[in-house]
Amino acid sequence: MKDSDCIFCKIANGEIPSKTIYEDENFRVILDLAPATKGHALILPKEHYKDLFELPENIASDVIVLAKKLATEMKEKLGCDGFNIMQNSGETAGQTVFHFHMHLIPRYKGDRQKIEWEKKEPSQEELEAVRKQIVEQ
Ligand code: 5GP
Ligand code: ZN
């Protein structure tokens, strides 16, 4: 399904032009308009899924295989030193466009880009309480 109000539906399906670096039946991969680093790209499914929670499992597995393939190619062609592969689901997590997309962010030595979080220091008891909350019914 497509969402007629969704800009990424329009981009993914070619109704709005984009800097496309890859396309197949199910995906279009475009350069981000406001890149964190040179080559920052977004994997867009052509169907509209709001976020990770709506993504069918077969598309989810294809996304990571495609991320690996493109990151490998881009590493060779752009000469980057590493990659951050990121996905934001939900406004609280920083999602701003509500059509699932995976960020591919090439990293270069000394690029001074920040993708980080404040590290907390939970006790073993606190970690155990969280573990139980997740695994217990
Ligand atoms: P989010 O914050 O939802 O994880 O990421 C949205 C990303 O989409 C941002 O990095 C933003 O720069 C990018 N973006 C937003 N609108 C457009 C657009 O119209 N074209 C392209 N190529 N990127 C966009
Ligand atoms: Zn959409």
Side-chain angles (χ1 to χ4, degrees):
M1 224 184 71
K2 296 5 176 211
D3 177 337
S4 57
D5 292 331
C6 172
I7 184 158
F8 278 7
C9 277
K10 293 193 173 82
I11 292 175
N13 292 283
E15 290 168 46
I16 294 180
S18 62
K19 297 294 183 201
T20 296
I21 62 167
Y22 175 87
E23 185 181 6
D24 65 22
E25 193 186 342
N26 295 319
F27 298 100
R28 182 186 294 271
V29 184
I30 62 169
L31 292 182
D32 197 298
L33 268 187
T37 62
K38 177 180 159 187
H40 181 168
L42 305 170
I43 299 180
L44 312 181
K46 290 189 174 175
E47 295 293 316
H48 182 84
Y49 309 109
K50 183 171 65 139
D51 55 23
L52 182 70
F53 309 108
E54 284 195 356
L55 202 65
E57 284 188 2
N58 63 316
I59 300 290
S61 53
D62 288 352
V63 165
I64 195 67
V65 172
L66 185 53
K68 175 184 162 60
K69 173 185 153 77
L70 290 170
T72 304
E73 253 180 61
M74 289 161 80
K75 190 167 185 287
E76 194 185 310
K77 294 192 175 155
L78 296 175
C80 56
D81 303 295
F83 259 87
N84 292 113
I85 311 287
M86 287 186 52
Q87 203 284 314
N88 300 325
S89 276
E91 199 174 346
T92 310
Q95 187 174 8
T96 58
V97 180
F98 293 87
H99 174 125
F100 175 93
H101 51 281
M102 182 79 91
H103 293 261
L104 304 179
I105 306 178
R107 299 305 302 272
Y108 304 86
K109 276 195 188 84
D111 65 25
R112 303 188 60 173
Q113 190 49 263
K114 293 180 293 298
I115 298 170
E116 59 190 18
W117 53 86
E118 182 192 336
K119 292 190 193 302
K120 313 272 189 202
E121 294 179 351
S123 63
Q124 284 300 308
E125 291 71 26
E126 286 168 322
L127 286 175
E128 179 57 13
V130 176
R131 191 192 69 80
K132 279 196 175 140
Q133 201 177 347
I134 296 167
V135 302
E136 286 179 2
Q137 301 287 347

